[in-house]
Each structure stands twice: as structure tokens, then as C-alpha cells.
Amino acid sequence: MDGTVLVADDDRTIRTVLTQALTRAGCKVHATSSMVTLMRWVEEGKGDLVISDVVMPDGNGLEALPKIAEERPGLPVIVISAQNTIMTAIQAAEKDAYDYLPKPFDLPDLMKRAARALEVKRRATPKRANEEQTKDDLPLVGRTPAMQALYRLVARVMNTELAVLITGESGTGKSLIARAIHDFSDRRTLPFVVASASDLATMDGPATLISRAKNGSILFDEVGDLDDDAQARIVRMLDSFTDNAPRVMATSQADLGNKMEAGAFRQDLFYRLSGVTLNVPSLRERVDDIPLLAEHFLARSERDGLPARRFTEQALDLIRAYSWPGNVRQLENTIRRLLVTSAEEEITRAETEQVLGNQPAMEPLQGGSDGDKLSSSVAKHLRRYFDLHGGVLPPPGLYARILREVELPLIEIALDATGGNQAKCADLLGINRNTLRKKITDLDIQVTRRRKLM
């Protein structure tokens, strides 16, 4: 790696770590805790790359991006921030940051991005700043890698012409993601139209939708629930689009690939809608975000005029331990109920337990009986999965999905137990080594730096 890197962060530890790592990699480094100093260096022509925090004692890294682009067109800026919301990722992309990483960041990952940035000189075109937005109105917050990856992908696709398919369980925030893509894109001043089944019930329905949306955005919510006639009308509508057509997005709780293979969803529509697929993780896939979301809902309710409340640590532990089949929507409704039913400023574990006990399908993820057989535990989870569909059969392809969920932890734990030795792991599992290698690749299992379980 070669070049001069300007580092701006008010955390001395981060400045030291980045200075040492970049210097060892062959770079010259200028580090500062002042945004004013950073801008002076930029104006003086110093630096081939900027790595900047957002919140600084004397300025804001995001707000400085247009000025940096004006002074030094093509100077890449990597934004690092502890403000781990979708807004930060979107604003970084809008203001033409080269890249964005949440704190705490992975140092090897940052070094790879810095190396790429030093190799790529692109002219940054400053875009108009967002209209004033209420940042906390979107409950799309999270520090987990799954959510941060989603934020970065949203930021990349929001101004493209590609159709966007947003998948995920009920209550994860699929429609909010679609709305965020529209509200922070170049189409933000144009209509955002949510198409219902009734909008597609007649032959002239699609034409009416296009007229309402102009060249804004159309969202087909839960597109997998539409019948064959409605799907066919969408296909014809998409085929009729001209250069000034609206942006198309769709959400689906069902696995459209499986529905397509089962003949329940049109193949031509699937490929037209899945230009980019965004999967919104369930709360079970980002457990570490649950306390963050709970505190977010408390703060938002306080702004709405409800009494100020806070959770005891024991209450938060209990909230974190539950499975939340209704995801973020169920969590929000539960928090609102606790705000009404709690008598004191602190929401206790007992109060939380009472509300959670009345929630549907709320088996704890922790604290199961030690005497339960594996088959019994699996049976409980499968029964809950079927119950969540309210008497309707789950999407086709259940066997493959369940098998994958069992295989992934089994192979990961076996690899840990054998210290990452694939030959020993294959022997332990009783499968061929080539079969193991293929499963590691198919399941995207990382096998580096594994330690043997004691």
C-alpha cells in the first residue's frame, strides 16, 4: 500500500491503531482530532485518502464531504462512525463518501478498503444535501454486521434504475426499507405509490398506477400473495415502461424462488423484480440489536408525550432472550404496552414477564430443559414455525431450508472441535472430505483461525 492517509478521529486509541497499521502497510499518515486541521490539510493538497469520524469536537465528518469534494475532486473519503443507523450509511453515500464503516470496525477489513481507495481515483460529484429529516422516525437501527451490510447495500442501490426485491419475515421492516430507498433517492420529491391487489384487479389498473406514480416509485407489497392475473398485469406493465418510468420495488415474506419452482409465481415476473434482492434479517438473526431497538422505542415514545421510562438490566435480559416471531413490529407493540402498564419509572423484569407471557408463540430461546432430547427441541421449533403461519402451509422447499439450518451449526461446531482440520472434521461427521469442502463453500462457512473446543 502506498500513499498518504489523513486520519481524523477524536478517539486517541483509534488514531494510534490506524496510524500504526497504515504505517506498517507502507503509508505516510497524518492524524488529528480536529476537523479544522483536517480541512486545512485537504486545502493544502495533502493526502491521497481521508479516513474520518462523523462526530468531531469542532465539526462533522459527513457535513465536510461536499467541501472536501469541492477542494479536492477525486480524493476518496472513508467514513467511520459509531452512529450505526441506516441514515448514516445513506448520508455517506449521498455525499459521495468512498466507503462507510460502522464502529467498532474490523481493522483488516478497513485496511483492504483503504488499499482499494488508494488505487481508485474517482471524481466525487457532490449531491444536494437531504431535506431535513427526522432521523429517529425510522426504526432501522442496528450495529450487527447483518444490518450494517443491509445499510451499505441500500445506500448503493437507492439511485440506480434496478428493480428492488425486499425479502424477510413479517414485521422486519421491509416496507420501511422501500420507503427509505425512495425518500433518500433522487426521486424523493416524486410520488411513492403502494400498489394493492385491488389496483391490479382490472385491465386498466396498471395504467392508473403509472399515472399516479409518474416517474417516482411503485411498491408491490407482498407480491407473492398476488394471483396469476395480477402477476400477468405487472409483467405487461413493466414491459411497457419507457425512459421516464417509475422505480419498481416489491416486498415478499414468502420465498419467491420456491414459489416459482412450485409453479405458484411467474418466472418472468420473478426475474423482472429481482434486479437487486435485499434480505431484511429477523430479530433472531440480530439478537444484539434487540436492546438497542428497545431503548429506541422508549425514547421515541417519550418524544410522543408518554412518560419517561427505562428498563432494568434484568428486564432487558429477558427481552433479549425471547424469540420475537413478530420481529420489530411485535417488539415495538410490546414496548408501547409496557409504557402504559408500568407503574414506576423503571420497567422491571416482573412487569416485562407479565406482558411477554400474553404474547403469542413466545417460547424463550434460553433456559430450556436440560433433559430435553434434541429431537424434542427440534420438534418444538418446527411446531412453532408452522403455528406462525396461522393455519396456512409454509412456502414449499421446507425440507431444504430446515436441513440447511441444521447443517450450518453442526459443521461449524465440528470444525471448532477439530481445530479447523477438515480431514478430522470429515471423519468425525462420517462424510467424504470433498463433500465437506463443498458444504463449507455452499454454506459460506469461514474456516480460518478456528480453535479446538476444550
Side-chain angles (χ1 to χ4, degrees), residues 32-314:
T32 180
S33 61
S34 168
M35 186 59 63
V36 172
T37 302
L38 172 65
M39 293 307 301
R40 176 168 55 80
W41 288 341
V42 170
E43 291 165 5
E44 291 172 354
K46 293 180 180 178
D48 302 299
L49 167 66
V50 174
I51 300 177
S52 176
D53 193 7
V54 174
V55 179
M56 301 281 283
D58 57 350
N60 183 289
L62 286 176
E63 293 174 359
L65 287 172
K67 178 66 174 175
I68 293 173
E70 181 182 348
E71 290 287 339
R72 299 277 302 282
L75 177 64
V77 181
I78 296 177
V79 173
I80 54 177
S81 175
Q83 295 181 320
N84 304 320
T85 72
I86 191 171
M87 299 300 306
T88 309
I90 287 175
Q91 288 176 333
E94 280 198 324
K95 295 175 186 291
D96 286 320
Y98 175 83
D99 212 335
Y100 158 73
L101 277 173
K103 292 180 179 178
F105 54 80
D106 180 71
L107 184 59
D109 183 30
L110 176 58
M111 294 297 289
K112 290 178 183 178
R113 294 169 190 254
R116 287 198 296 268
L118 287 169
E119 294 172 358
V120 177
K121 293 292 183 180
R122 63 180 180 89
R123 184 177 183 84
T125 304
K127 297 180 182 177
R128 61 188 179 185
N130 264 340
E131 293 85 356
E132 285 298 316
Q133 301 286 342
T134 305
K135 298 181 180 180
D136 293 329
D137 280 351
L138 291 177
L140 300 171
V141 295
R143 298 191 179 102
T144 53
M147 287 304 289
Q148 291 299 320
L150 176 63
Y151 295 163
R152 286 195 290 271
L153 189 52
V154 167
R156 291 190 190 108
V157 306
M158 67 182 177
N159 280 320
T160 68
E161 301 297 321
L162 293 170
V164 177
L165 176 61
I166 306 168
T167 63
E169 295 179 6
S170 176
T172 52
K174 300 185 293 294
S175 297
L176 288 171
I177 291 288
R179 185 79 214 200
I181 291 173
H182 173 83
D183 285 349
F184 297 97
S185 72
D186 292 339
R187 303 173 190 257
R188 59 172 70 86
T189 60
L190 299 167
F192 178 82
V193 176
V194 180
S196 64
S198 61
D199 292 319
L200 298 162
T202 60
M203 292 298 293
D204 60 350
T208 303
L209 281 175
I210 295 173
S211 176
R212 288 168 54 198
K214 304 184 188 305
N215 58 335
S217 301
I218 297 178
L219 172 65
F220 296 101
D221 202 20
E222 290 303 331
V223 69
D225 294 339
L226 297 176
D227 61 28
D228 290 342
D229 290 340
Q231 292 178 33
R233 291 188 180 108
I234 296 175
V235 171
R236 288 194 291 271
M237 182 185 79
L238 299 181
D239 287 344
S240 70
F241 277 2
T242 61
D243 290 340
N244 292 321
R247 172 77 172 273
V248 172
M249 292 181 278
T251 66
S252 178
Q253 177 182 348
D255 187 325
L256 295 186
N258 287 338
K259 288 182 73 73
M260 179 183 68
E261 292 175 5
F265 195 81
R266 290 178 64 107
Q267 186 178 56
D268 50 0
L269 179 56
F270 175 78
Y271 291 119
R272 283 167 172 79
L273 293 177
S274 56
V276 177
T277 299
L278 306 178
N279 182 60
V280 186
S282 66
L283 279 184
R284 295 186 302 282
E285 297 170 283
R286 53 183 189 115
V287 173
D288 290 340
D289 284 335
I290 293 176
L292 181 69
L293 283 161
E295 297 291 353
H296 166 84
F297 289 131
L298 282 184
R300 192 167 76 177
S301 296
E302 184 178 345
R303 289 196 303 274
D304 291 341
L306 292 173
R309 293 283 190 270
R310 65 176 182 271
F311 287 106
T312 64
E313 288 188 15
Q314 294 80 5

Side-chain angles (χ1 to χ4, degrees), residues 291 294-299 301-302 306-316 319 335 338-339 342-349 351-352:
E295 297 291 353
H296 166 84
F297 289 131
L298 282 184
S301 296
E302 184 178 345
L306 292 173
R309 293 283 190 270
R310 65 176 182 271
F311 287 106
T312 64
E313 288 188 15
Q314 294 80 5
L316 272 179
I319 287 173
I335 300 300
L338 282 167
L339 285 166
S342 298
E344 304 295 334
E345 183 177 340
E346 276 197 333
I347 300 174
T348 66
R349 179 185 176 94
E351 291 171 323
T352 305

